[in-house]
Structures are given as structure tokens and as C-alpha cells.
Amino acid sequence: MVREQNRWANEAYRGDSPWQPMAFDRGHPDAVDMKIGFKLVDVKIVTDRECAQRGFTDWGRSLTRKYNPKPLEQLTIVIVTDDMSGVLGQTQFPFDVPEDSPEQMVVVSAEGFRSFPSQNLGKESDMRYDEGDTVVHEVGHALGLYHTFQSGCQSGQGGDWVDDTNPEMFPHFTCDRSSSCHSPDPVRNFMDYTPDSCMVGFTEGQKRRAWCVLEKTRPALFRRSLAVDPTG
């Protein structure tokens, strides 16, 4: 499942996510090649009941930090497997903490991990998040991307700081046509809250912001990333 999630994330960041046209689509939704890939370096399976149940609470965040020993070298994703909060994912923006802080990490509930809901139907999992786009979304935050609905109808600077994502008043939880800010809401974008089947890609502006934020806020990881072939 971890290998499959990593493959899915790489596909998404290449702009190759599969999609089914909806009636409101006018051609293929924005899905640029972000020129970002992920090489699976290590997998650790840990028995830690407190972390598994309370990894998303403010107090519990200290429980996850010990599993991120190399923030200058790797992007760590912690999977919380028995969450009691109902949160799907939580990520520290890279510009809010020092680059060597163990808080530079992604935390995702197993309920948003690829194929976990479909393989654990007895838990009454929500199948809308079975594809694995929660990881794609949260890694977007780790690269400095805001939600597309950041600051409502205020676009660009002061909104999500990306000019080519249409502003939207509120997050969307269904894949429907809407124009909350007098332009089509970006329900196909990975940084909205739509179900996995609706999310398709990122925009050129998000690509440029992600690279800029990575270079400026995590320079050690940026330099290391340029020297690594994620497909090797």
C-alpha cells in the first residue's frame, strides 16, 4: 500500500492523474507537470497507541515529531492508523518553522491513504478518499501551497498567493459546478476539499510557488532533491 501510494503521488505530481469528464468540464482540467517526484527511501511500522489515536491533537503533535529524525534530508509522512479526531490530514507550512524542525512533516490518517478504506470496509470508511489524494493534498501544503479557498473570494496575493487558481468562497465536498466568486470554482484542483475522484491536478502558478517555497524555506532539502533522481 505504501509503494502504491508513492506511485500515485508521483503520477499526480507529473500531471498524469486519471480523470472522468464531468458535464461542466471544458476540456482537460489544469494538471501541469510539477517537476517534482518522490523516491520512497524508508518505511517504518511502529506500534505507538498514543500516536495512532491522538496524532492530530495539538498535544499529540509532539508524539509524531520523534518519527521525523531527518527533516533536512527527507520529507517524512506519518500515517495515523487509529485516529480519534476525524481529521484526514495535517501539515505544517514550511515557512512557519525552522527547516531543521521535526515539525517539517506530513501527517495523514489511514482513512485518507490509498486503498485503506476499500480494504477495511468493516470500519465504515469513507470511500470518497480511497484513491490517495489526501497525501497529494497534504504534500502540497508541505510545499507551501494554500487551499484554493484561502481568504474566500480574494485571489492572488492575500488569497492562495497563486494567480491562476480561481478564487472560491468556501471548500467543496462534492464534484459539482459552482461559481461562488463569479468564476468557475477550482473543484478539480488538489488543494480544494473535493472527493479524490474529482481532483485532477495543479496549476502552473502552484508549480512555481512550490518550487520557490521549497528553495527559500528548506534549502538543504532543495539542494539534496536536485541531486536525486526520484525514478532511480
Side-chain angles (χ1 to χ4, degrees):
M1 290 174 67
V2 172
R3 287 192 293 269
E4 175 60 15
Q5 174 68 78
N6 190 70
R7 182 200 66 78
W8 184 261
N10 276 321
E11 194 172 74
Y13 276 81
R14 285 198 310 269
D16 290 335
S17 288
W19 71 292
Q20 293 294 325
M22 299 287 286
F24 60 80
D25 285 318
R26 298 294 182 265
H28 197 293
D30 286 327
V32 303
D33 183 353
M34 296 283 280
K35 302 295 183 182
I36 294 173
F38 309 98
K39 182 177 182 178
L40 186 59
V41 176
D42 191 16
V43 179
K44 293 181 180 178
I45 299 176
V46 179
T47 300
D48 186 335
R49 183 180 297 273
E50 282 191 292
C51 184
Q53 294 182 339
R54 301 181 178 87
F56 286 118
T57 65
D58 290 339
W59 169 80
R61 285 191 65 80
S62 63
L63 298 173
T64 62
R65 295 172 193 161
K66 57 188 173 184
Y67 301 118
N68 185 23
K70 299 179 180 180
L72 295 177
E73 300 178 18
Q74 299 172 3
L75 174 63
T76 295
I77 301 176
V78 171
I79 309 303
V80 177
T81 56
D82 194 21
D83 170 57
M84 300 176 65
S85 72
V87 175
L88 276 181
Q90 186 174 356
T91 300
Q92 180 71 58
F93 285 115
F95 36 74
D96 286 341
V97 294
E99 66 168 329
D100 62 349
S101 169
E103 291 183 68
Q104 294 276 14
M105 67 190 310
V106 172
V107 184
V108 173
S109 169
E111 294 296 322
F113 202 68
R114 181 163 174 80
S115 299
F116 184 89
S118 58
Q119 293 190 33
N120 292 271
L121 295 177
K123 295 187 65 174
E124 299 183 356
S125 299
D126 193 334
M127 293 299 296
R128 293 177 299 172
Y129 308 109
D130 189 57
E131 291 185 7
D133 288 339
T134 299
V135 172
V136 176
H137 176 101
E138 292 300 325
V139 170
H141 286 320
L143 294 168
L145 299 182
Y146 288 113
H147 292 128
T148 50
F149 49 86
Q150 181 79 16
S151 300
C153 288
Q154 185 172 357
S155 62
Q157 295 187 8
D160 68 351
W161 291 83
V162 176
D163 289 333
D164 62 356
T165 56
N166 289 344
E168 57 184 341
M169 180 60 70
F170 39 71
H172 287 272
F173 298 94
T174 58
C175 197
D176 300 307
R177 183 173 185 172
S178 178
S179 298
S180 60
C181 296
H182 310 294
S183 59
D185 291 338
V187 296
R188 292 296 207 170
N189 195 277
F190 281 124
M191 300 314 294
D192 203 340
Y193 271 178
T194 49
D196 288 2
S197 61
C198 191
M199 293 180 171
V200 178
F202 297 101
T203 68
E204 178 66 25
Q206 288 174 315
K207 171 185 175 180
R208 292 174 180 270
R209 176 173 173 82
W211 273 99
C212 181
V213 169
L214 181 61
E215 181 180 10
K216 300 300 182 183
T217 64
R218 302 189 70 176
L221 183 62
F222 175 78
R223 291 191 297 269
R224 183 178 177 84
S225 298
L226 294 181
V228 175
D229 177 5
T231 65

